[in-house]
């Protein structure tokens, strides 16, 4: 049981990073297939929709995990990644309709991926004795997720661009379902060891927030994550263009 609660967060991080990183390379392949942006900023909006969705998901799903249970919220976030990937891979119609469809799909992917961040870390922390190390390994699983879109693109190097960008997006569905299949069928055990009742939890929380050191640690870690996400996301959105025709197959 605990083993599965360690595997699922890792695989969910791989899926989350894949659906986020595939946004930029999918757009390059779409443009190679004949998709034309009516405005130059449309591509930036497609990429930023996933990023803005992930920011909203991080804020919301940590709370929903406490409110409705980790497992239900965790499955829902992964489902959002799968649904968004399906939407992106099934784009059709005019350039405008394709743009709107992909925009909705990218936001759904980002919203789900943002929710996966806090829930996967909490699940790894609460279901392992070596808690901080478990969180670190879960976050390290982002690296293969960032690499996989390029691997998938190269695997289908000789495939038509119109089909290839759909394959790149659709592979996010495969990763999401693999992660969902590894989630245990019963809910997680909240925390190993003594479980606090509501009154104790509230008292402990009030004691923490009244401590100035708590707020300094919160602001410091939050700013570090902000700088990290802005830097890495900025690189991710431009990476396919920087790599040029070798990655896009042109």
């Amino acid at each position: 049981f605990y083993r599965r609660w360690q595997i699922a967060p890792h695989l969910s991080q791989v899926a989350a990073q894949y659906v986020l990183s595939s946004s930029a390379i999918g757009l390059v392949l779409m443009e190679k297939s004949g998709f034309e942006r009516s405005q130059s900023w449309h591509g930036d909006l497609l990429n930023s929709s996933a990023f803005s969705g992930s920011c909203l998901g991080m804020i919301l799903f940590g709370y929903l995990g406490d409110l409705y249970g980790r497992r239900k919220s965790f499955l829902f976030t992964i489902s959002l990644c799968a649904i968004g990937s399906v939407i992106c891979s099934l784009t059709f119609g005019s350039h405008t309709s394709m743009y709107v469809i992909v925009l909705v799909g990218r936001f759904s992917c980002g919203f789900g991926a943002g929710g996966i961040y806090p829930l996967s870390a909490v699940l790894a922390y609460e279901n392992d004795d070596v808690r901080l190390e478990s969180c670190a390994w879960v976050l390290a699983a982002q690296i293969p997720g960032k690499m996989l879109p390029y691997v998938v693109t190269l695997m289908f190097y000789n495939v038509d661009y119109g089909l290839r960008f759909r394959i790149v997006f659709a592979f996010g569905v495969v990763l999401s379902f693999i992660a969902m299949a590894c989630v245990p069928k019963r809910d997680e055990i909240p925390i190993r060891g003594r479980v606090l009742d509501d009154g104790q939890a509230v008292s402990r929380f009030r004691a923490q927030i009244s401590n100035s050191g708590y707020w300094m640690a919160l602001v410091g870690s939050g700013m570090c994550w902000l700088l990290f996400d802005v830097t890495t996301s900025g690189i991710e959105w431009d990476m396919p263009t920087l790599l040029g025709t070798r990655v896009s197959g042109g």
Side-chain angles (χ1 to χ4, degrees), residues 62-144:
Y63 173 73
L64 293 180
D66 293 334
L67 191 62
Y68 297 107
R70 309 271 197 268
R71 182 179 181 275
K72 291 180 181 179
S73 300
F74 188 55
L75 286 172
F76 184 63
T77 58
I78 304 175
S79 300
L80 286 174
C81 290
I83 292 170
S85 299
V86 169
I87 292 173
C88 292
S89 63
L90 297 180
T91 54
F92 61 90
S94 65
H95 291 174
T96 301
S97 63
M98 289 179 64
Y99 171 78
V100 173
I101 290 171
V102 174
L103 183 65
V104 172
R106 297 320 299 162
F107 181 83
S108 176
C109 287
F111 192 43
I116 287 173
Y117 285 166
L119 291 174
S120 62
V122 168
L123 286 167
Y125 180 86
E126 292 181 348
N127 291 287
D128 200 309
D129 291 326
V130 190
R131 294 175 174 176
L132 294 179
E133 182 178 337
S134 298
C135 291
W137 279 112
V138 166
L139 294 176
Q142 295 179 2
I143 303 304

Side-chain angles (χ1 to χ4, degrees):
F1 175 77
Y2 284 110
R3 178 72 63 180
R4 294 190 68 179
W5 270 125
Q6 285 302 303
I7 295 174
H10 286 78
L11 293 178
S12 69
Q13 282 287 351
V14 174
Q17 285 305 311
Y18 180 90
V19 298
L20 289 177
S21 300
S22 64
S23 178
I25 194 169
L27 179 60
V28 170
L29 295 173
M30 286 177 63
E31 292 176 345
K32 290 286 186 179
S33 69
F35 173 78
E36 296 179 0
R37 292 181 265 178
S38 58
Q39 299 292 335
S40 60
W41 48 267
H42 281 178
D44 296 331
L45 184 59
L46 283 177
N47 286 329
S48 61
S49 65
F51 183 70
S52 59
S54 67
C55 292
L56 183 61
M58 290 181 204
I59 296 172
L60 182 62
F61 281 106
Y63 173 73
L64 293 180
D66 293 334
L67 191 62
Y68 297 107
R70 309 271 197 268
R71 182 179 181 275
K72 291 180 181 179
S73 300
F74 188 55
L75 286 172
F76 184 63
T77 58
I78 304 175
S79 300
L80 286 174
C81 290
I83 292 170
S85 299
V86 169
I87 292 173
C88 292
S89 63
L90 297 180
T91 54
F92 61 90
S94 65
H95 291 174
T96 301
S97 63
M98 289 179 64
Y99 171 78
V100 173
I101 290 171
V102 174
L103 183 65
V104 172
R106 297 320 299 162
F107 181 83
S108 176
C109 287
F111 192 43
I116 287 173
Y117 285 166
L119 291 174
S120 62
V122 168
L123 286 167
Y125 180 86
E126 292 181 348
N127 291 287
D128 200 309
D129 291 326
V130 190
R131 294 175 174 176
L132 294 179
E133 182 178 337
S134 298
C135 291
W137 279 112
V138 166
L139 294 176
Q142 295 179 2
I143 303 304
K146 291 177 182 289
M147 298 170 59
L148 272 175
Y150 300 94
V151 174
V152 174
T153 302
L154 292 174
M155 286 173 58
F156 297 92
Y157 186 86
N158 295 319
V159 176
D160 176 73
Y161 289 119
L163 178 59
R164 201 189 322 175
F165 86 79
R166 289 180 169 84
I167 292 174
V168 170
F169 284 141
F171 196 73
V173 183
V174 177
L175 294 175
S176 298
F177 275 114
I178 293 175
M180 291 173 67
C182 292
V183 176
K185 297 186 182 300
R186 63 188 176 94
D187 212 346
E188 76 285 354
I189 297 175
I191 299 178
R192 286 190 175 185
R194 186 172 64 90
V195 179
L196 302 177
D197 60 33
D198 291 340
Q200 291 174 316
V202 171
S203 299
R204 184 175 179 180
F205 177 71
R206 287 176 177 172
Q208 287 178 331
I209 63 176
S210 63
N211 185 352
S212 60
Y214 170 84
W215 289 104
M216 292 180 65
L218 179 63
V219 173
S221 60
M223 290 300 297
C224 288
W225 273 109
L226 176 63
L227 294 174
F228 173 78
D229 284 338
V230 169
T231 303
T232 57
S233 297
I235 295 173
E236 283 180 15
W237 303 151
D238 294 326
M239 185 63 73
T241 304
L242 295 173
L243 294 177
T245 56
R246 289 187 178 274
V247 172
S248 62

